[in-house]
Amino acid sequence: MTEESKREVLRQKRETALAGGLGKSRDRHVAAGKLLVRQRLELLFDDGFDFEDGLLAASEVGLPGDGIITCIGKVNGQDTAVIANDATVKAGTWGHKSLLKFNRMQDLAKDAGLPIIYLVDSAGARIDEQKQLFLGRNGWGNIWYNMVQASGVIPQVCVLFGPSPAGAAYVPGLADLVIMVDKQASAYLGSPRMAKMTIFEDVTDEQMGGARLHCNVSGLGDVLVKDDAEAIASARDYVAFLPKNWAEKPPVVKAVPPSTDAKPIGSVVPENQNVPYDVHDLIDGLVDADSFYEVKANFAKEITTGLARLGGAPVGIIANNSKHKGGVLFNDTSDKAARFIWMCNAFNIPLLFLQDISGYMIGTAVEKAGIIRHGAKLLSAVCESTVPRICVLVRKAYGGGYLAMSGAPTHPDAMLALPTALPALVGPEAAVNAIHFNKIMELPEEERAAYVSSKRDEYAQDIDVYRAAADTFAVEDVVDPEHLRDDLIKRFRIYGQRKAGIIERRSAVHPV
């Protein structure tokens, strides 16, 4: 064979592999309104691949790339590893060669300290290859072993464009962030067909594990998007906040002022602690314009979590939102906040707590559901964080909620307060009822309201924020709302220069 004919053979093999699946599988994919996998990669990378591994895998059996693409390219100028299913090739299922490619790219990313983005659109593992790939040390489970080993070392993002069933569901389960395409993405351990056969439950894919279920109810999904293009844009926005790996600092960009549409901070927070407000208005007035990237926006809305920029530098925000359930901490609230704090702490992103909290929810329902365990998870995340951490007392700062939201005993770098802050073990209503209950019961019915009102006023005077600043140095400063942004920027700059402490131990025993 001549050199020219050899090159022609190579050219044809590469063209066949690059084309992916053809015929009906391709037509169905496109008809569903989904982008082909290489179209997704074109949107994700700044300027194409740096290189691709395993393009010709399984070419001898007519499975281009064995249904998976593993490659390196730049995302926002940063080298990034990508592992992407090609759903037009055997429904994006994993076989022996795709497993080898998957694991090799995971190893490369971890060794080189590069983020991984998983573009998932897969019907799962190939059952007809289970003998070779299920039980042994080289089996499919290596994917999740590698994800766990890389957790907190390199960022791992999962973008779900389609299904991710059975064991494959643990790719989103173990990723740092999960983006799901509405009406396309799904994840479940047992398919609707299996559920019908085994437990006689008749449900659809969407009911079993659709994007809205996971973003609104289960909490598996972090960001809900409308289509493939928005999913890719969201992934690019997210990784722009992160360093390549845990040993580096997150990227800083040019600072911009808050949005011109943002309300003055002093006008956002009602002085009456019983009047709710949307904490997004407060965040908008603090952060650089259009920089807030919310995580789990549709789940446990009583707490708001997300990444933003303050003076061009990334910061993770955890804020009670009194607009929803009064901002009280529930089981899901605690899980949501703890997971976000762990992610920020892993990748050197400073933490900003905006506290307006009356405490944890009480009652038999939450106790049966394990609120102590879940609440301890949040306390654990706060207390073991070592990145720069500032807590701002916006309004209520009561009881265990005060501690869980980075109160002074959890050793933040700074405790700041707005003039509207009300730090206390309990609020006036609960305090008066606890302290004066017997006296109230002894009074004639017509005298009780006036007595309770006077005692509440008396108690409220005792939880004045200025006393907290003057008597016990519980807060570093009481800040004018219009100066808060500048104060935070300056403080984070200074606190970012200290060396982060490391707790010497093999592993914490975390609450579950």
Side-chain angles (χ1 to χ4, degrees), residues 448-510:
R448 291 178 183 177
Y451 179 81
V452 168
S453 179
S454 68
K455 289 299 180 183
R456 285 179 181 174
D457 291 343
E458 182 181 311
Y459 183 84
Q461 291 177 6
D462 196 46
I463 59 173
D464 180 83
V465 68
Y466 297 108
R467 289 192 179 184
D471 296 344
T472 63
F473 194 45
V475 295
E476 270 68 36
D477 198 7
V478 181
V479 183
D480 184 315
E482 302 315 312
H483 297 161
L484 180 59
R485 171 182 159 87
D486 288 342
D487 199 325
L488 290 172
I489 291 171
K490 291 172 183 175
R491 287 179 179 273
F492 275 125
R493 182 179 65 80
I494 295 299
Y495 302 149
Q497 297 177 43
R498 66 166 173 76
K499 185 177 180 181
I502 294 178
I503 303 170
E504 290 193 24
R505 61 188 174 201
R506 182 171 290 109
S507 174
V509 183
H510 288 118

Side-chain angles (χ1 to χ4, degrees), residues 144-426:
W144 306 296
Y145 176 86
N146 289 338
M147 290 188 75
V148 172
Q149 298 303 307
S151 178
V153 178
I154 55 175
Q156 298 184 87
V157 180
C158 174
V159 187
L160 264 175
F161 298 96
S164 186
Y170 285 108
V171 174
L174 292 170
D176 305 336
L177 185 92
V178 181
I179 300 167
M180 302 186 77
V181 179
D182 193 18
K183 299 182 177 61
Q184 298 283 8
S186 62
Y188 38 69
L189 297 183
S191 69
R193 183 166 57 180
M194 181 179 291
K196 188 171 184 179
M197 291 172 58
T198 56
I199 61 174
F200 312 109
E201 186 178 22
D202 193 2
V203 294
T204 65
D205 274 18
E206 188 69 23
Q207 291 169 329
M208 179 66 82
R212 287 185 179 269
L213 179 141
H214 285 308
C215 289
N216 298 355
V217 182
S218 81
L220 174 68
D222 294 296
V223 181
L224 181 69
V225 296
K226 66 178 184 298
D227 56 29
D228 289 14
E230 186 179 346
I232 293 294
S234 182
R236 286 180 57 89
D237 288 345
Y238 175 75
V239 297
F241 286 99
L242 303 176
K244 287 197 299 184
N245 55 64
W246 75 278
E248 298 189 5
K249 296 283 189 179
V252 176
V253 301
K254 183 179 179 181
V256 296
S259 169
T260 55
D261 295 331
K263 301 174 184 176
I265 292 174
S267 70
V268 170
V269 184
E271 289 193 22
N272 184 339
Q273 63 161 319
N274 295 316
V275 176
Y277 71 99
D278 191 344
V279 80
H280 290 87
D281 293 335
L282 176 57
I283 293 170
D284 287 345
L286 284 175
V287 305
D288 295 13
D290 302 318
S291 72
F292 187 53
Y293 184 100
E294 190 164 0
V295 175
K296 294 191 189 299
N298 300 318
F299 178 73
K301 292 182 179 182
E302 58 275 9
I303 201 161
T304 297
T305 56
L307 298 168
R309 294 190 183 277
L310 268 174
V315 63
I317 297 175
I318 304 96
N320 305 116
N321 195 348
S322 61
K323 183 179 178 181
H324 300 281
K325 300 180 182 179
V328 173
L329 297 174
F330 289 78
N331 298 34
D332 286 344
T333 329
S334 300
D335 286 357
K336 171 181 174 177
R339 169 84 169 172
F340 181 74
I341 293 165
W342 282 325
M343 186 281 296
C344 290
N345 192 57
F347 296 114
N348 298 311
I349 298 174
L351 295 167
L352 172 61
F353 288 78
L354 300 176
Q355 183 172 154
D356 183 5
I357 179 69
S358 57
Y360 285 98
M361 187 59 185
I362 62 171
T364 57
V366 292
E367 293 294 353
K368 289 177 182 177
I371 195 165
I372 297 172
R373 291 187 295 107
H374 291 269
K377 193 182 302 182
L378 175 54
L379 278 167
S380 177
V382 170
C383 293
E384 71 181 1
S385 65
T386 59
V387 294
R389 173 162 52 99
I390 297 175
C391 177
V392 179
L393 303 183
V394 177
R395 206 167 49 167
K396 298 187 296 293
Y398 298 159
Y402 161 74
L403 297 174
M405 286 294 293
S406 191
T410 68
H411 296 269
D413 289 274
M415 287 289 298
L416 305 178
L418 296 182
T420 46
L422 294 168
L425 181 60
V426 293

Side-chain angles (χ1 to χ4, degrees), residues 1-9:
M1 185 179 291
T2 66
E3 285 298 318
E4 185 176 345
S5 60
K6 289 178 182 178
R7 286 196 295 271
E8 179 60 22
V9 169

